[in-house]
Amino acid sequence: MIIDLPSTSTSAINKALVDLRDSGGAVALGRVLTLVVVTDDAHAEDAIEAANEASREHPCRVLVLARGNKRGAARLDAQIRVGGDAGASEVVVLRAYGPLVEHGQTTVVSLLLPDAPIVAWWPGAAPEDVANDPIGRIAQRRITDSAEARDPRKALEQRRATYRAGDTDLAWTRLTNWRALLAAALDQPPFERVTSITVAGAPDSPSTELLAAWLAVKLKAPVLRARTKKGTGVQSVRLERSSGPVELVRPDQNVATLTQPGQPDRRMALARRLVKDCLSEELRRLDPDEVYGDVLREGLPKVGTKVVTVRTAQAQGRLRPPAETAREQAAAEVESARVSRAMKRAKPGEPAERVGGTAVPNDEHSENAPDRGTASTGAVASARPAAAGRGAAAKKSAASGTRTARTTTAKAATKAAPAKRAAAGRTARRTTGGSSS
């Protein structure tokens, strides 16, 4: 349900929220935080969609401050979304015009949930110092996205210069799967020191810079940055060790191949993460991301600004051609599809046939059967009379045993009868004699 409030005020918005709670149920209760989204009017819907998906994991009140044209008279248009139009949250869209564009904090403060943490998110261009921004000052967590900046590398340097505890970047969150795979590979023997690192990625990918900085900080080894085509993101990582390199290559931005000495190559899904997934991950924690802070402050200076081409890195033996990895992946996918088709065409073996309580194998599916069909029919036919004969013999033997047992019992009873009658007579005479005396 969507309720439009044109040319309104924050008090009228609060009153509308209370009326909705009274008429439609407790839609404003059970929220764990307030998510303040600061964007422009043109990109507001994309941000709302991502916030709605993230709210299914983290129920919250979403306040979207969509800044409009700064010229003209001051005006505040609002929109309240609940139910199916708001995921598991309630969304309040605030479109500010004129002088109100520069006073977003005053507009937002009266709509915050009481005693709930505040998270601020800039899905597009962010202020140079988010911690000192009017919205950033009231938030415990401040989320930016360097990938949306005009110059991602410059944006990272700006984040580094103004970093405060509680800052984070979705360019860093997109590396979670890369970091997990590389850490798992190094946790396996042999536990050798990494002597050099090569990271290949696009020049417009801040995630590539952060990944190289993270490896430089944690492994304390020199890093070489190789430049790929724009828009390809992170493409490969190569870790040199004395026993051989560890390589994680993603030539098509969907499937990556992990290569380790002494182990078969492994293919795994490693597609670019969606904004809603990254936002959900960041909302799981409200404490400062200390690793991200160390990477910004210590890792970026170690990486430097020197970047070589892919051909130069290949000539130095520091990088394997991505086309070679792509061909190997294509061949592996063809082989996997062939095996899958063969398994679907194969007929499963029939269960064993039981005759007379004994399992008789079905020779029709046996690889060593000389004549399929006739041999199995003869085997089953010969097994049935044999089983029937064994059953009749067993019954005859059981009957004979029963008759023998009955005869023996009868003879024993006949022999014991005179002795029992004599004993009974003696007992009677003693009883009679005793009574007469």
Side-chain angles (χ1 to χ4, degrees), residues 204-221:
D204 58 347
S205 171
S207 297
T208 305
E209 303 291 337
L210 292 174
L211 180 59
W214 174 68
L215 292 171
V217 169
K218 296 302 179 182
L219 300 179
K220 295 179 173 57

Side-chain angles (χ1 to χ4, degrees), residues 253-275:
Q253 301 189 42
N254 289 308
V255 180
T257 300
L258 178 63
T259 305
Q260 296 176 262
Q263 297 187 19
D265 293 350
R266 287 177 288 174
R267 296 185 301 119
M268 56 203 73
L270 194 60
R272 180 184 174 92
R273 302 185 70 189
L274 300 177
V275 173

Side-chain angles (χ1 to χ4, degrees), residues 178 181-182 185 234-239 245-261 263-271 319-333:
W178 282 85
L181 291 173
L182 292 172
V234 183
Q235 192 170 83
S236 67
V237 176
R238 182 184 177 100
L239 308 177
V246 176
E247 267 191 305
L248 182 60
V249 185
R250 185 185 64 176
D252 60 354
Q253 301 189 42
N254 289 308
V255 180
T257 300
L258 178 63
T259 305
Q260 296 176 262
Q263 297 187 19
D265 293 350
R266 287 177 288 174
R267 296 185 301 119
M268 56 203 73
L270 194 60
L319 195 64
R320 193 164 59 156
E324 178 183 342
T325 306
R327 287 194 298 269
E328 293 176 358
Q329 284 191 0
E333 290 175 2

Side-chain angles (χ1 to χ4, degrees), residues 23-69:
S23 60
V27 297
L29 302 181
R31 309 307 185 197
V32 298
L33 56 90
T34 301
L35 176 63
V36 181
V37 184
V38 185
T39 182
D40 53 38
D41 201 6
H43 301 89
E45 291 301 326
D46 294 336
I48 292 172
E49 182 179 357
N52 285 345
E53 293 297 328
S55 71
R56 301 184 189 279
E57 184 178 344
H58 312 278
C60 58
R61 172 177 287 183
V62 180
L63 303 179
V64 182
L65 183 58
R67 294 172 173 174
N69 194 346

Side-chain angles (χ1 to χ4, degrees), residues 322-345:
E324 178 183 342
T325 306
R327 287 194 298 269
E328 293 176 358
Q329 284 191 0
E333 290 175 2
V334 170
E335 178 64 17
S336 177
R338 186 191 67 79
V339 173
S340 178
R341 288 194 301 268
M343 293 177 64
K344 289 180 180 179
R345 286 196 302 265

Side-chain angles (χ1 to χ4, degrees), residues 40-216:
D40 53 38
D41 201 6
H43 301 89
E45 291 301 326
D46 294 336
I48 292 172
E49 182 179 357
N52 285 345
E53 293 297 328
S55 71
R56 301 184 189 279
E57 184 178 344
H58 312 278
C60 58
R61 172 177 287 183
V62 180
L63 303 179
V64 182
L65 183 58
R67 294 172 173 174
N69 194 346
K70 296 181 180 180
R71 299 178 181 178
R75 190 177 85 252
L76 178 65
D77 296 340
Q79 192 178 73
I80 301 176
R81 304 183 184 185
V82 294
D85 296 296
S89 64
E90 53 188 4
V91 180
V92 181
V93 184
L94 305 171
R95 291 184 169 88
Y97 302 94
L100 288 179
V101 173
E102 302 297 333
H103 300 279
Q105 178 186 8
T106 306
T107 308
V108 166
V109 165
S110 60
L111 299 173
L112 299 174
L113 289 176
D115 301 325
I118 303 170
V119 178
W121 175 36
W122 289 266
E128 293 184 356
D129 190 352
V130 293
N132 288 325
D133 184 79
I135 298 295
R137 281 197 295 264
I138 63 174
Q140 282 77 31
R141 290 296 304 275
R142 296 167 292 274
I143 305 172
T144 57
D145 193 353
S146 299
E148 298 296 329
R150 293 183 178 179
D151 188 346
R153 176 70 191 190
K154 184 178 179 181
L156 281 180
E157 291 296 336
Q158 189 66 39
R159 299 282 84 80
R160 174 176 174 267
T162 60
Y163 174 78
R164 298 291 185 277
D167 294 354
T168 191
D169 199 313
L170 294 186
W172 168 253
T173 316
R174 294 187 183 99
L175 295 174
T176 299
N177 295 334
W178 282 85
R179 294 164 55 208
L181 291 173
L182 292 172
L186 294 179
D187 280 343
Q188 300 176 10
F191 304 104
E192 299 172 335
R193 181 177 177 272
V194 175
T195 58
S196 65
I197 305 166
T198 304
V199 180
D204 58 347
S205 171
S207 297
T208 305
E209 303 291 337
L210 292 174
L211 180 59
W214 174 68
L215 292 171

